[in-house]
Amino acid sequence: MNQLKKFHAHSLKIGTDFTKDLITKLLEIPNINYAHKVFDSIPNPNLSLYNKLIQAHSSNGHYSQCFSLYSQLLHRCMLPSPHSFTLLFVACSKLSSCSHGQMVHAHFLKFGLDHDVYALTALVDMYSKMGLLRLARKVFDEMGGKDVPTWNSLISGYARSGDLVEALRCFMDMPSRNVISWTALISGYSQNGRYREALEMYLDMEREGKVRPNHVTIASVLPACANLGALEVGERIEAYARANGYFRNAYVCNAALEMYSRCGVVEKAMQLFDEIGGDRNLCSWNTMIMGLAVHGRCHGALELFNQMLRKGIAPDDVTFVGVILACTHGGMVEKGRELFNSMEQRFSIMPKLEHYGCIVDLLGRAGLVQEAYELIMAMPMKPDSVVWGALLGACSFHGNVEFAERAAEALFKLEPWNPGNYVILSNIYAKANKWGEVAKLRKFMKGSNTIKAAGHSFIEEGGRVHKFVVEDKYHPRSIEIFTVLDFVAAEMKFHGKNHYLDSIIDEIRFMESS
């Protein structure tokens, strides 16, 4: 930087104009403020310099400067290029300003530049990122010469907004696809909780073999493996990521960490956590704390939390979900209360619904059902179904009919479509020998057509994830499956000494006969 300043001073002294080269070098460092000052000293800057400065300000979040430069450009009666508008559309998308976007779009049409594919693609991308899919689709449909990035912008917009049907339709209509096309759909499915489709899409991409996954693809599909428990596929993806150097990316590392944590391979997760070492970010710590907490390693989770504090890393609201959950699984009521209270007092983090849900669960599991109810009544926000569900679950465990009725009443209003709440309350009544109440509840369920959804599970086999529904005979290999189950049931009955085997065999027989 000092050398550039000396160079600038020397050029001024000898009267040689190197300002354009100087601005280019300053933007590469970058020192945008100094570059802008040098730019302001030029009597007649050209369009190329305007574009470079607009791009630099946009990349660094100085969006007001982008539009100020654009206004200045127009004031000098200069004609913007398609590249100028490409940069401005990008700035508008980052700013998420619909008014700025539509104003720039109007100017783009006024100058008659709506023939440039790159600028039009940036326009489709701008409207897509703003969630204005109708406008994005209109621009898309009216433009000619669409290329792969244009299709990708629209697919990403639909996927981001949750319209995965339209995203898939566009994907299937594409004349050709690249890795970004596949990743947009994989990411869309994963982010919208449709993990099975996300993984199937990734496996389809592998089978087609025309494109290779990149680090974004890997970071998008590993959460699907984590939520499905698809450990075998996840390990294969990890091996691919390592072989291609993607483990230098923090998102990939954290996604793999989450996959092992959720799949219950806690030792492997700890090894990976240690491997990340100094490159750990808050997400890494939170993922590991949550993984330990969920799998009953409560003291390990709390020790990791203390280690994190000793290293000067400030926790966030996700961290506290993990540590309170650890206390819940470990039955550490006092420690849980202490951590909950420290959120606001020590760390200036306002507890959210998730934290109240965790603390209600902690108190409820410990049998402190009344205290849990009083906490719900004192909450600064309206309790949701998770909070009331935690109380109902505690009442089920401890057989508390009074508070179960209060929790169930709230749940019936919040989610009348959920049959699970009716079933839990019915079981609580049955446990308390209140058979009249059980009959009333079942009659109500029947009259309101409240039907308990069939349970299902995902099983990974041969690199694919199969979905099995209770009493399901639609799987293409169901005859073979039930034949094996029949054999296993017979073997268990022949060798079994445990009285639980009879109930398992009866359930298998029931599935076969239905």
Side-chain angles (χ1 to χ4, degrees):
M1 185 63 212
N2 288 332
Q3 285 183 328
L4 284 175
K5 286 182 178 179
K6 288 178 183 178
F7 173 74
H8 186 204
H10 181 67
S11 65
L12 291 172
K13 184 178 179 180
I14 64 175
T16 308
D17 186 9
F18 289 116
T19 49
K20 293 173 184 176
D21 294 331
L22 179 63
I23 288 170
T24 302
K25 290 290 183 185
L26 286 167
L27 293 176
E28 287 173 0
I29 292 177
N31 190 327
I32 299 172
N33 291 335
Y34 192 14
H36 206 137
K37 286 178 183 177
V38 175
F39 175 85
D40 289 338
S41 70
I42 302 173
N44 295 301
N46 60 25
L47 183 60
S48 175
L49 283 177
Y50 269 107
N51 286 344
K52 285 180 180 179
L53 211 55
I54 289 170
Q55 184 171 19
H57 279 301
S58 177
S59 298
N60 286 272
H62 310 150
Y63 306 117
S64 60
Q65 291 281 11
C66 297
F67 300 111
S68 175
L69 284 164
Y70 174 63
S71 297
Q72 189 184 121
L73 184 155
L74 295 178
H75 186 69
R76 289 179 182 270
C77 298
M78 296 176 70
L79 182 67
S81 67
H83 183 54
S84 308
F85 282 103
T86 299
L87 297 173
L88 289 166
F89 291 143
V90 171
C92 291
S93 68
K94 290 180 179 178
L95 188 61
S96 294
S97 171
C98 181
S99 58
H100 280 87
Q102 290 184 314
M103 180 269 289
V104 175
H105 184 188
H107 283 209
F108 178 62
L109 296 175
K110 180 181 177 181
F111 284 113
L113 299 174
D114 54 332
H115 54 80
D116 186 86
V117 173
Y118 296 104
L120 285 167
T121 297
L123 180 58
V124 171
D125 193 56
M126 179 193 79
Y127 282 132
S128 294
K129 285 178 177 173
M130 289 180 184
L132 303 171
L133 274 305
R134 183 182 58 81
L135 293 174
R137 188 59 190 249
K138 186 175 185 296
V139 175
F140 178 86
D141 288 340
E142 291 175 355
M143 70 182 284
K146 305 176 187 74
D147 57 12
V148 174
T150 317
W151 286 90
N152 289 344
S153 295
L154 192 64
I155 291 168
S156 297
Y158 280 126
R160 198 181 295 111
S161 69
D163 190 350
L164 293 160
V165 172
E166 198 59 42
L168 182 60
R169 186 178 290 120
C170 287
F171 179 84
M172 299 305 292
D173 289 342
M174 288 181 76
S176 62
R177 308 179 185 109
N178 62 13
V179 66
I180 298 171
S181 319
W182 288 93
T183 302
L185 261 183
I186 292 166
S187 177
Y189 281 126
S190 191
Q191 289 172 4
N192 285 278
R194 293 171 62 174
Y195 303 115
R196 188 186 180 200
E197 289 99 323
L199 186 53
E200 285 296 337
M201 183 63 64
Y202 177 85
L203 295 173
D204 285 346
M205 181 183 68
E206 276 192 337
R207 282 190 289 271
E208 188 179 273
K210 293 181 180 178
V211 298
R212 289 170 58 81
N214 62 17
H215 65 282
V216 182
T217 321
I218 301 303
S220 300
V221 73
L222 281 175
C225 296
N227 283 277
L228 292 171
L231 181 60
E232 181 186 330
V233 179
E235 288 177 325
R236 183 163 55 76
I237 293 171
E238 183 208 356
Y240 170 86
R242 286 186 182 277
N244 287 274
Y246 296 147
F247 259 67
R248 291 190 291 269
N249 182 278
Y251 293 104
V252 172
C253 288
N254 288 335
L257 186 63
E258 182 192 21
M259 187 264 296
Y260 282 117
S261 296
R262 279 181 172 263
C263 289
V265 192
V266 181
E267 294 303 326
K268 179 70 176 177
M270 278 302 301
Q271 287 174 17
L272 181 53
F273 181 78
D274 292 336
E275 181 187 333
I276 297 170
D279 293 327
R280 298 172 194 144
N281 55 22
L282 184 56
C283 179
S284 314
W285 288 92
N286 286 347
T287 301
M288 198 65 246
I289 288 170
M290 189 70 76
L292 290 168
V294 167
H295 294 288
R297 306 276 285 271
C298 315
H299 294 288
L302 295 176
E303 173 52 37
L304 208 59
F305 174 67
N306 291 328
Q307 186 183 333
M308 175 180 154
L309 297 182
R310 287 195 295 271
K311 288 183 177 291
I313 300 167
D316 66 358
D317 55 313
V318 178
T319 317
F320 279 98
V321 170
V323 291
I324 296 172
L325 193 63
C327 294
T328 301
H329 284 277
M332 296 178 276
V333 177
E334 287 305 317
K335 184 63 179 176
R337 283 199 191 105
E338 177 194 321
L339 287 166
F340 182 77
N341 293 330
S342 74
M343 286 181 66
E344 190 174 354
Q345 295 170 4
R346 183 179 170 188
F347 298 100
S348 302
I349 299 172
M350 291 295 293
K352 296 181 180 177
L353 272 169
E354 299 94 317
H355 305 102
Y356 280 99
C358 287
I359 205 74
V360 166
D361 193 25
L362 169 67
L363 295 170
R365 288 190 190 212
L368 304 171
V369 177
Q370 183 168 343
E371 184 181 342
Y373 177 76
E374 289 169 357
L375 178 66
I376 293 173
M377 292 295 97
M379 282 172 57
M381 72 283 288
K382 188 177 179 180
D384 66 354
S385 58
V386 175
V387 174
W388 285 114
L391 181 65
L392 184 62
C395 292
S396 175
F397 186 78
H398 294 287
N400 191 309
V401 176
E402 178 190 352
F403 289 108
E405 288 176 330
R406 298 184 192 185
E409 184 182 354
L411 286 166
F412 295 160
K413 291 177 183 176
L414 286 168
E415 42 181 34
W417 44 265
N418 186 353
N421 300 320
Y422 296 93
V423 172
I424 293 171
L425 183 60
S426 175
N427 291 341
I428 294 170
Y429 281 141
K431 190 176 178 181
N433 291 319
K434 294 196 168 192
W435 299 107
E437 299 297 330
V438 172
K440 285 181 187 176
L441 204 55
R442 289 185 177 175
K443 185 178 180 182
F444 174 79
M445 288 178 69
K446 189 175 181 180
S448 59
N449 290 321
T450 305
I451 302 168
K452 188 177 184 299
H456 67 271
S457 62
F458 293 104
I459 297 174
E460 180 188 12
E461 191 276 326
R464 294 187 69 95
V465 175
H466 301 263
K467 181 179 179 180
F468 290 91
V469 181
V470 170
E471 305 176 24
D472 178 17
K473 287 195 175 182
Y474 290 100
H475 192 277
R477 300 184 66 183
S478 61
I479 295 174
E480 296 172 68
I481 291 167
F482 281 110
T483 300
V484 172
L485 279 173
D486 190 47
F487 173 75
V488 171
E491 287 292 302
M492 289 170 71
K493 191 167 187 179
F494 179 76
H495 296 287
K497 295 180 181 179
N498 191 319
H499 67 279
Y500 288 116
L501 292 177
D502 290 334
S503 62
I504 295 170
I505 292 165
D506 289 341
E507 187 173 346
I508 292 170
R509 288 291 184 189
F510 172 75
M511 290 170 67
E512 286 183 289
S513 61
S514 58

